[in-house]
Amino acid sequence: MKNLIRLVTWVSGTWRQIPLFLGMAACTGLFLVARRYGYPIKPLDGYFFGYSPDEVATFLTVTTAEAKSFYRLISGTLDMVYPVVYGLFFAGALARTWGIERWWLWGLAFVAAACDVGENSCVIAILGFAPQSVPESLCRVASKLTVLKWAFVDVALLLTLAGWVKQGIGRFSGRGKSG
């Protein structure tokens, strides 16, 4: 825990947050390009509320071997880097705005990233199956990880925005005071 606190303290610095934010923006841009040109329908990790084994079978049926290969490549590379980048960014931002001692807040960012990596691993495994032979348990685990990822990302984002508002109000309300 001590090393994790050191890491989060280090990434919470302003000049370390900027490259992480730019990294998130770059990954998001690459995802948009990849999804625009590489997937025939919405990818599995884009279903915010999860997906059923039938939806997985449909996805695999309409997805060409070439598109599956591309999706597997993206899921195994870019989509493994992205959770690390946004996990560090949100952990640093939450520690900066709410305090390093509130580890349960900035820890949410790491939980979201872990769910995302787990989801990506499941999706990579799913892409190796024929449409009707995907184990239902694998589909359900992947779906639950997708929902958890989005829930934790949303909470981390909202807490980060609330922290920034709190800081902004604090700075604004302190301007007229004389010392």
Side-chain angles (χ1 to χ4, degrees):
M1 185 72 166
K2 196 179 276 189
N3 288 333
L4 188 58
I5 290 172
R6 280 190 199 136
L7 173 65
V8 172
T9 301
W10 186 76
V11 298
S12 68
T14 303
W15 296 109
R16 292 179 193 93
Q17 285 282 284
I18 292 170
L20 288 170
F21 181 80
L22 293 174
M24 280 186 359
C27 286
T28 301
L30 289 171
F31 278 128
L32 292 174
V33 169
R35 290 194 173 143
R36 171 119 169 111
Y37 297 105
Y39 305 139
I41 60 174
K42 182 163 76 172
L44 297 175
D45 59 352
Y47 288 83
F48 300 117
F49 301 107
Y51 37 87
S52 69
D54 291 338
E55 288 172 310
V56 171
T58 300
F59 178 83
L60 293 174
T61 300
V62 300
T63 306
T64 65
E66 202 173 72
K68 285 180 194 174
S69 178
F70 181 71
Y71 191 12
R72 192 178 295 119
L73 174 70
I74 295 296
S75 293
T77 55
L78 181 61
D79 210 7
M80 291 294 191
V81 171
Y82 189 54
V84 173
V85 173
Y86 77 67
L88 288 171
F89 173 79
F90 282 123
L94 289 166
R96 184 180 177 88
T97 56
W98 296 103
I100 193 70
E101 68 282 353
R102 292 189 177 150
W103 61 267
W104 59 92
L105 290 178
W106 53 260
L108 293 171
F110 291 125
V111 173
C115 289
D116 199 352
V117 168
E119 170 208 29
N120 296 334
S121 300
C122 289
V123 166
I124 290 168
I126 285 170
L127 290 168
F129 285 95
Q132 301 307 322
S133 65
V134 180
E136 277 193 33
S137 59
L138 182 59
C139 294
R140 295 201 191 290
V141 168
S143 178
K144 285 178 181 20
L145 287 171
T146 299
V147 172
L148 287 171
K149 169 192 77 172
W150 287 115
F152 284 114
V153 165
D154 291 346
V155 170
L157 177 61
L158 289 172
L159 285 171
T160 299
L161 293 174
W164 289 342
V165 168
K166 176 186 77 114
Q167 279 186 330
I169 289 171
R171 287 187 181 138
F172 180 73
S173 64
R175 281 189 181 176
K177 295 180 183 175
S178 57

